[in-house]
């Protein structure tokens, strides 16, 4: 498979396609209907699906081929062809848009995907890592369970062919979960070909290359064990490839007016006190990874409490919907914050001295109060306009044309510059 015909390239194409998700849903529905009915062709009911989605043949055109025409041709597509990769990635993308919840649902989806990969030309297993990222872990566990059952003769609808296809998918995956399942299966299965595939997958010499996440929004997940080692995995994978950054979500930057109002009302203090309490008392974390490409930005994040994952989210921002993507130094508003502190202290001392001077009728106290107040205001103005030049880590800020902004903190400046350079210049 050439890089131009890879699932990542197809996902980039779909991200900029006006009907990308609609096409993925059509392929998903057609493929799963074929799997349920054990049909080796996908065109059954296709016209109705396309009409229901409000699509035309022209809407299905991509640089990898026409999706509707590819579904109509079905198994006539050659192995490794662009349209086969297109259909496989669209099916995986459809799974990402409607991810299975729980082991039972994952088992049903995995069985359908393995059956389709075995008896049709649509092998979405090769695109799972690209389309779902870390959310594919449950599906890989379900695929491994299918290999075990098929090897025991308990899954005649898949048989030996399905076990070989599933083992080959585990072998080809870069997912740590897939490799762990393969290692556990090596000593269990009896089929020599399946065992050979799994042994190769479990080999320590195979180094994983992290796949970027899907461009769909993820849901809540009541899963445990998302600890520091997983964070390191994100950082490792994202750091090795250009355009990928790993850090932690932080509040997006506020404008000077909003900052002054929040500080003056005490809301800013309460917000930070709550955030610090959550971080140190409840182990509240929001690790995130950003993948920046020429067609847009994918943000994958999760919310953790006491080391357990409460929620996972994945958001894609097409480049045409991105208003601004910038790198900020670690303390870009240090001058403004210091100025506010100086103004607050100067006002407090100045007003106190002015009041005391007025009560005592002392010109010296009145003058000192005015001087302190003026010094506080001058210091506020000066510090507010000082450019900080902090070195080391920075924050990457993404501002879409609609919706809230996203800020990722703790990023190396060189890595941030290299990633942001992949975006097209306006």
């Amino acid at each position: 498979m050439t890089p131009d015909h890879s699932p990542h390239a197809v996902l980039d194409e779909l991200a900029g396609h006006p009907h990308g998700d609609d096409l993925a849903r059509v392929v998903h529905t057609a493929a799963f209907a074929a799997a349920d009915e054990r049909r080796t062709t996908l065109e059954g009911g296709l016209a109705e699906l396309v009409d229901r989605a409000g699509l035309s043949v022209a809407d299905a055109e991509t640089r990898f081929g026409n999706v509707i025409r590819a579904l109509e041709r079905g198994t006539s597509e050659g192995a490794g062809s662009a349209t086969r990769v297109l259909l496989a990635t669209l099916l995986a993308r459809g799974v990402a848009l409607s991810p299975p919840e729980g082991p039972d649902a994952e088992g049903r989806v995995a069985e359908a995907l393995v059956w389709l990969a075995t008896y049709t030309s649509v092998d979405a297993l090769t695109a799972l890592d690209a389309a779902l990222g870390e959310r594919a872990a449950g599906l890989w566990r379900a695929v491994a369970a299918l290999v075990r059952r098929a090897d025991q003769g308990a899954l005649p609808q898949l048989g030996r062919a399905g076990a070989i296809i599933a083992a080959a998918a585990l072998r080809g995956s870069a997912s740590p979960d897939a490799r762990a399942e393969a290692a556990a299966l090596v000593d269990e299965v009896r089929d020599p070909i399946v065992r050979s595939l799994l042994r190769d997958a479990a080999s320590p010499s195979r180094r994983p290359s992290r796949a970027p996440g899907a461009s769909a929004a993820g849901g809540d997940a009541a899963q445990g064990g998302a600890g520091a080692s997983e964070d390191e995995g994100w950082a490792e994978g994202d750091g090795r490839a250009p355009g990928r950054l790993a850090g932690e979500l932080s509040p997006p930057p506020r404008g000077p007016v909003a900052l002054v109002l929040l500080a003056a009302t005490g809301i800013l203090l309460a917000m930070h006190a709550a955030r610090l309490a959550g971080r140190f008392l409840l182990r509240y974390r929001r690790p995130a990874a950003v993948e920046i490409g020429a067609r847009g930005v994918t943000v994958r994040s999760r919310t953790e409490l006491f080391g357990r994952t409460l929620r996972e989210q994945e958001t894609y921002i097409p480049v045409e919907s991105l208003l601004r993507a910038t790198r900020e130094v670690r303390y870009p508003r240090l001058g403004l914050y210091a100025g506010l502190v100086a103004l607050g202290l100067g006002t407090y001392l100045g007003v106190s001295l002015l009041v005391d001077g007025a009560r005592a009728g002392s010109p010296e106290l009145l003058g000192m109060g005015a001087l302190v107040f003026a010094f506080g205001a001058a210091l506020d103005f000066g510090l507010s306009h000082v450019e900080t030049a902090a070195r080391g880590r920075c924050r990457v800020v993404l501002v879409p044309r609609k919706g809230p902004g996203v800020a990722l903190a703790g990023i190396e400046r060189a890595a941030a510059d290299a990633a942001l350079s992949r975006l097209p210049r306006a």
Side-chain angles (χ1 to χ4, degrees), residues 141-163:
R141 288 192 290 269
V143 168
L146 292 174
V147 173
R148 186 178 291 109
R149 291 173 58 199
D151 186 70
Q152 295 168 353
L155 210 59
Q157 61 268 38
L158 293 180
R160 187 186 187 217

Side-chain angles (χ1 to χ4, degrees), residues 44-344:
L46 179 60
E48 182 182 351
L49 288 175
V50 172
D51 183 64
R52 192 185 306 163
L55 298 172
S56 65
V57 175
D59 294 332
E61 198 64 48
T62 73
R63 66 185 178 94
F64 297 92
N66 189 286
V67 178
I68 296 176
R69 297 301 185 213
L71 286 171
E72 292 173 345
R73 289 192 297 269
T75 55
S76 64
E77 298 294 338
S81 67
T83 48
R84 282 187 69 163
V85 178
L86 173 64
L87 291 181
T89 308
L90 278 166
L91 178 52
R93 171 73 173 137
V95 173
L97 291 172
S98 302
E101 298 289 342
D104 291 340
E106 288 168 344
R108 290 191 295 270
V109 170
E111 182 176 342
L113 294 179
V114 172
W115 189 92
L116 289 165
T118 305
Y119 297 106
T120 75
S121 60
V122 183
D123 183 4
L125 298 172
T126 59
L128 282 184
D129 288 337
L132 282 90
E134 294 182 350
R135 291 186 297 157
L139 287 174
W140 288 126
R141 288 192 290 269
V143 168
L146 292 174
V147 173
R148 186 178 291 109
R149 291 173 58 199
D151 186 70
Q152 295 168 353
L155 210 59
Q157 61 268 38
L158 293 180
R160 187 186 187 217
I164 292 174
I165 292 293
L170 289 170
R171 177 181 182 269
S173 173
S175 167
D177 297 275
R179 294 199 321 279
E181 293 295 333
L185 281 171
V186 166
D187 296 328
E188 296 183 35
V189 297
R190 296 167 294 182
D191 190 296
I193 296 179
V194 174
R195 189 187 304 120
S196 176
L197 289 169
L198 295 172
R199 185 179 294 114
D200 186 36
S203 172
S205 61
R206 285 190 76 228
R207 304 292 297 180
S209 59
R210 301 279 296 188
S215 55
D220 295 344
Q223 303 172 14
S229 61
E230 192 173 351
D231 290 343
E232 292 169 4
W234 279 28
E236 272 186 27
D238 290 341
R240 283 198 296 266
R244 302 182 196 175
L245 303 171
E248 188 162 357
L249 288 183
S250 67
R254 303 179 182 89
V257 175
L259 180 61
V260 171
L261 289 176
L262 289 173
T265 57
I267 296 176
L268 191 64
L269 176 63
M271 289 169 58
H272 284 289
R275 188 172 293 115
L276 286 173
R279 185 171 187 85
F280 293 104
L281 299 180
L282 306 178
R283 292 169 59 195
Y284 178 79
R285 301 287 188 275
R286 298 184 69 192
V290 173
E291 182 180 356
I292 299 177
R295 297 181 180 273
V297 180
T298 301
V299 182
R300 295 185 293 127
S301 64
R302 64 176 181 265
T303 302
E304 298 177 359
L305 198 65
F306 291 116
R308 297 179 64 87
T309 299
L310 300 181
R311 186 172 187 266
E312 291 183 349
Q313 188 173 10
E314 210 162 301
T315 305
Y316 182 80
I317 307 174
V319 68
E320 59 269 15
S321 301
L322 191 62
L323 179 64
R324 187 172 70 253
T326 57
R327 169 183 65 76
E328 291 187 342
V329 294
R330 193 172 185 180
Y331 303 108
R333 290 172 175 77
L334 179 60
L336 179 60
Y337 282 101
L340 286 172
V341 172
L343 180 60

